Amino acid sequence: MREQLVRQAMAEAGVDALVLRPSPDFRFLGGSGDGFLVVTRGGPLIETGDPVPCIPRGARRVGVDDEMRVAELFGMRIDAELIPASAVLRDLRLRKSAQEVEAVARAAAAADAVMAAARELAWFGASEREMARRLRVLLIESGCEEVVSVRVAAGEHTAAKEHRPTGRIINPGDALQVAVCGRWDGLCAEVARAFAVAEPPEDYEAMLSVVLAARAAALDAVRPGAPAEQVAARARQVIEDSGYGGFADVSGRGVGWGHEEGPSLSDPEPLSAGMTLCVAPAIYLTGLFGARVADTVACAPDGPVLLSPGSPALHVLDA
């Protein structure tokens, strides 16, 4: 059925072939290994190390994977108009089947389990990088087939949106920002939570309470027919009303076959049943601390279904 829909979309877009490398689109169409997957309007899907001979002779338009490396692209020397494969596949990936939503739910449950286990770990005296390694192991042990990302930030590093774990030692009084994303049956989900060691910094709990209120408002907005941008707008409004508006970040997006995919929460595109989202409001006070809470949610016919139901409340860790 999926192949039929893809070929129909290819015909509508005037695309004669798709050439995919290992990526979300590659997994979406059942690709495995580290070669290429070639899809044409007829015949079987072909996995190969050399995709060029599999492209129909006289092909005028070929969709290439959005994550195609430059060296790969130039090395193939495809004599046709090239367009991003996402032009054909994006809309097909937006709405998940019941089986796909279940896989996202399993990935979210695994991330939730890691967050619960993280409460029992010894954080004081360890480095961000060391704790990130421990969380990676926990994510694999939970049953995930792949660790997509793990982030650990301590103290002032929690105020950096794109922070990567470093050798910074975790101490009592530090706020902690932890996020994990794993893949289950090809699909992934992210969960992020806030912790503190021994005791939270002054005013941290008050700021986090605003983030949690923004989370609740965003989740409630996930309904079929609602504009995707409304989800982020609801969260942002809560933060602005609190006085933290200048420090707000609402970085939610679609999640599933990729860690980041459609729909964008900055677009007016209407939500529909089967979409899965990562809702992630945050406040970042540069040089001090920040708090981000991320949850994976499915848009169901009757409204939001939270796939990561673990408590988002601040947990204070033993020193």
Side-chain angles (χ1 to χ4, degrees), residues 16-19 38 40 51-59 61-62 76 78-80:
D16 300 296
L18 298 175
V19 179
V38 180
T40 59
V52 177
C54 304
I55 298 173
R57 180 173 295 182
R61 205 174 197 209
V62 175
M76 288 187 291
I78 299 173
D79 186 18

Side-chain angles (χ1 to χ4, degrees), residues 27 72 286:
R27 289 187 292 271
E72 292 171 336
T286 303

Side-chain angles (χ1 to χ4, degrees), residues 170-184:
I170 298 166
N171 295 302
D174 278 340
L176 289 174
Q177 185 63 59
V178 181
V180 298
C181 179
R183 194 178 303 283
W184 195 290

Side-chain angles (χ1 to χ4, degrees), residues 254-301:
V255 66
W257 290 100
H259 179 247
E260 295 185 19
E261 58 183 36
S264 168
L265 298 192
S266 62
D267 292 341
E269 179 177 15
L271 301 178
S272 61
M275 290 183 176
T276 48
L277 311 172
C278 177
V279 173
I283 296 174
Y284 298 114
L285 301 181
T286 303
L288 294 175
F289 45 68
R292 174 178 179 268
V293 174
D295 286 280
T296 300
V297 58
C299 182

Side-chain angles (χ1 to χ4, degrees), residues 81-98:
E81 177 190 356
L82 303 181
I83 68 167
S86 60
V88 174
L89 299 176
R90 178 187 181 275
D91 287 350
L92 297 179
R93 281 174 45 188
L94 279 177
R95 287 166 288 280
K96 313 296 189 292
S97 67

Side-chain angles (χ1 to χ4, degrees), residues 1-317:
M1 180 63 175
R2 183 177 294 169
E3 291 180 25
Q4 181 181 345
L5 292 174
V6 169
R7 289 193 170 103
Q8 180 180 338
M10 289 171 63
E12 292 172 354
V15 172
D16 300 296
L18 298 175
V19 179
L20 308 175
R21 69 177 311 280
S23 68
D25 283 335
F26 179 88
R27 289 187 292 271
F28 174 68
L29 287 176
S32 60
D34 56 3
F36 296 91
L37 181 68
V38 180
V39 185
T40 59
R41 293 198 203 178
L45 277 62
I46 302 172
E47 288 200 53
T48 176
D50 182 7
V52 177
C54 304
I55 298 173
R57 180 173 295 182
R60 296 184 177 183
R61 205 174 197 209
V62 175
V64 294
D65 201 295
D66 292 36
E67 297 186 9
M68 189 76 71
R69 299 188 182 106
V70 173
E72 292 171 336
L73 190 59
F74 280 96
M76 288 187 291
R77 299 181 183 276
I78 299 173
D79 186 18
E81 177 190 356
L82 303 181
I83 68 167
S86 60
V88 174
L89 299 176
R90 178 187 181 275
D91 287 350
L92 297 179
R93 281 174 45 188
L94 279 177
R95 287 166 288 280
K96 313 296 189 292
S97 67
Q99 183 178 4
E100 290 169 335
V101 172
E102 176 59 26
V104 175
R106 296 290 295 274
D112 249 352
V114 169
M115 288 300 178
R119 298 178 178 185
E120 308 303 321
L121 298 178
W123 292 80
F124 170 44
S127 69
E128 294 173 340
R129 196 175 290 123
E130 180 183 355
M131 297 310 296
R133 285 195 295 266
R134 293 184 187 179
L135 295 175
R136 283 179 175 274
V137 171
L138 289 175
L139 202 52
I140 291 296
E141 290 178 346
S142 73
C144 284
E145 65 207 35
E146 179 190 354
V147 175
V148 178
S149 67
V150 173
R151 295 194 176 188
V152 175
E156 69 286 355
H157 289 172
T158 61
K161 180 179 177 181
E162 301 296 333
H163 179 71
R164 302 287 183 177
T166 69
R168 200 262 198 204
I169 299 300
I170 298 166
N171 295 302
D174 278 340
L176 289 174
Q177 185 63 59
V178 181
V180 298
C181 179
R183 194 178 303 283
W184 195 290
D185 289 343
L187 291 103
C188 58
E190 180 186 356
V191 175
R193 298 287 184 255
F195 299 96
V197 182
E199 60 179 352
E202 186 177 359
D203 296 331
Y204 186 75
E205 289 179 278
M207 186 186 74
L208 178 60
S209 70
V210 174
V211 173
L212 294 178
R215 166 189 179 269
L219 290 174
D220 187 60
V222 178
R223 299 180 182 280
E229 62 186 0
Q230 183 173 296
V231 178
R234 290 277 184 86
R236 187 172 291 108
Q237 188 63 56
V238 170
I239 297 175
E240 288 179 353
D241 289 347
S242 74
Y244 284 104
F247 310 100
D249 179 81
V250 183
S251 55
R253 78 278 176 189
V255 66
W257 290 100
H259 179 247
E260 295 185 19
E261 58 183 36
S264 168
L265 298 192
S266 62
D267 292 341
E269 179 177 15
L271 301 178
S272 61
M275 290 183 176
T276 48
L277 311 172
C278 177
V279 173
I283 296 174
Y284 298 114
L285 301 181
T286 303
L288 294 175
F289 45 68
R292 174 178 179 268
V293 174
D295 286 280
T296 300
V297 58
C299 182
D302 296 329
V305 175
L306 185 60
L307 303 181
S308 49
S311 173
L314 178 68
H315 185 81
V316 179
L317 304 159

